[in-house]
Amino acid sequence: MATPGPRKAPLVLALLLAAVVAAAFIPQAALAASGGVMGGRSSSSSKYTRSSSSGSERNSYYSSRTTYVSVGTPAPPSVATDVGEGPGTVFWMVAIGLVLLVAAAVYRCRPRTTVVKLQVALLGWAKPFQQELNEIAERVRASNKPSYKLMLTETICSLSRHKDCCVFSSLSVDVKNGMDSWEEHFDEISMEERSKFDEETLYSLEGIKRTKEYSKKQDGSRNEYIVVTIIVAANGALEFPKITRPADLEAVVKKLNSIRAGDIWGIHILWTPQEENDVLTEEKLLADYPHLRPHYDD
């Protein structure tokens, strides 16, 4: 059987070299995007200082009742009755009942915090929304609860103005019990979303702001999408509807905006691309935000 002659080898190498050169000079869509983040959060210690006095009163009340039962006069020996119960048995049944009531009350009074992550993808022609987020980051320094509320309201108002461009969204709601479990969860979500940026070109957290020039060269590609992520930690166990239609998204943002300033423990808002001429392609959108789901018309 004939084998390729040595003359074909230079031809193959020339074709491979031509392919490499062509790939280098053909404009490629940017697969990475710049990102911005703004917001802040309170610590668990500051959160629970406000409720310490009322909690002390409840604990004192329950403690006094429990002490009265435990150090009272010993019950006399049980005397069997016709139904097989004596005064001692009734006493201990009452004591156990009181203990169970106290335990149930303490369980119900446990502090709860809801951590919400709302993610929305808008069509790339919603450039004004991107610019408005940059302006909010410039105007609002989130260092306390009133500023958290202001940042949330301003972002939701801007998003509502561009609701016709919202095509995908996802929502996660986690209710945390205890003193500080919400903080770890909140920070974990924020770091996960920030790590998706190729470069964090705008940072404005806890009243500290810094900017960075985007180092990637723009190729003039048309921007396809803008993604905004709203992370909120709020007091209580909050419930939100599942998002399948544009009307559901509107209901969710209204619910978020209804949270009182005093109940907001933290807010982080992230968006990409942050640079005006940067590109977020459909390829990167599908790779980095797999939980986004399309909206269906009513």
Side-chain angles (χ1 to χ4, degrees), residues 145-192:
K145 291 183 177 182
S147 62
Y148 300 163
K149 175 65 175 180
L150 176 60
M151 180 171 287
L152 176 62
T153 299
E154 291 292 300
T155 302
I156 288 177
C157 287
S158 179
L159 182 63
S160 299
R161 284 193 292 267
H162 303 282
K163 60 183 179 181
D164 293 338
C165 295
C166 300
V167 289
F168 302 100
S169 65
S170 69
L171 177 69
S172 66
V173 181
D174 296 285
V175 178
K176 298 296 182 179
N177 299 315
M179 291 291 290
D180 55 2
S181 61
W182 71 272
E183 289 183 330
E184 181 179 353
H185 185 61
F186 183 94
D187 292 342
E188 181 180 348
I189 294 176
S190 180
M191 288 301 299
E192 179 183 358

Side-chain angles (χ1 to χ4, degrees), residues 89-276:
T89 303
V90 175
F91 173 83
W92 287 111
M93 289 179 64
V94 172
I96 293 174
L98 288 175
V99 171
L100 292 176
L101 286 175
V102 171
V106 171
Y107 180 84
R108 287 195 303 269
C109 293
R110 289 183 308 166
R112 291 186 175 184
T113 302
T114 301
V115 179
V116 185
K117 183 183 78 170
L118 173 64
Q119 210 154 51
V120 182
L122 300 87
L123 294 174
W125 63 65
K127 280 291 184 180
F129 176 65
Q130 180 188 35
Q131 298 166 1
E132 288 165 10
L133 290 177
N134 293 335
E135 293 171 0
I136 294 172
E138 181 68 28
R139 297 195 318 266
V140 184
R141 301 294 177 92
S143 56
N144 52 47
K145 291 183 177 182
S147 62
Y148 300 163
K149 175 65 175 180
L150 176 60
M151 180 171 287
L152 176 62
T153 299
E154 291 292 300
T155 302
I156 288 177
C157 287
S158 179
L159 182 63
S160 299
R161 284 193 292 267
H162 303 282
K163 60 183 179 181
D164 293 338
C165 295
C166 300
V167 289
F168 302 100
S169 65
S170 69
L171 177 69
S172 66
V173 181
D174 296 285
V175 178
K176 298 296 182 179
N177 299 315
M179 291 291 290
D180 55 2
S181 61
W182 71 272
E183 289 183 330
E184 181 179 353
H185 185 61
F186 183 94
D187 292 342
E188 181 180 348
I189 294 176
S190 180
M191 288 301 299
E192 179 183 358
E193 295 302 324
R194 291 172 64 187
S195 67
K196 296 176 182 178
F197 302 155
D198 179 57
E199 291 184 27
E200 195 170 78
T201 51
L202 192 156
Y203 173 99
S204 182
L205 295 177
E206 310 297 344
I208 301 174
K209 182 181 177 182
R210 61 174 180 262
T211 59
K212 175 185 177 183
E213 185 177 352
Y214 192 42
S215 63
K216 299 293 182 180
K217 183 179 179 181
Q218 307 301 326
D219 57 18
S221 301
R222 180 178 61 85
N223 189 22
E224 297 185 55
Y225 294 99
I226 299 171
V227 174
V228 59
T229 303
I230 302 174
I231 308 171
V232 178
N235 184 45
L238 306 180
E239 296 181 355
F240 291 83
K242 181 180 179 181
I243 301 177
T244 58
R245 306 171 302 161
D248 298 329
L249 177 60
E250 292 184 28
V252 168
V253 296
K254 287 181 180 178
K255 176 79 173 182
L256 280 173
N257 198 41
S258 68
I259 301 174
R260 296 185 303 109
D263 288 335
I264 300 177
W265 306 119
I267 178 171
H268 280 184
I269 297 172
L270 308 92
W271 68 102
T272 182
Q274 188 271 324
E275 287 285 336
E276 182 179 357

Side-chain angles (χ1 to χ4, degrees), residues 46-62:
S46 62
K47 170 181 176 180
Y48 297 104
T49 300
R50 187 185 69 174
S51 60
S52 60
S53 60
S54 60
S56 299
E57 293 174 0
R58 288 194 299 268
N59 293 337
S60 175
Y61 170 71
Y62 292 132

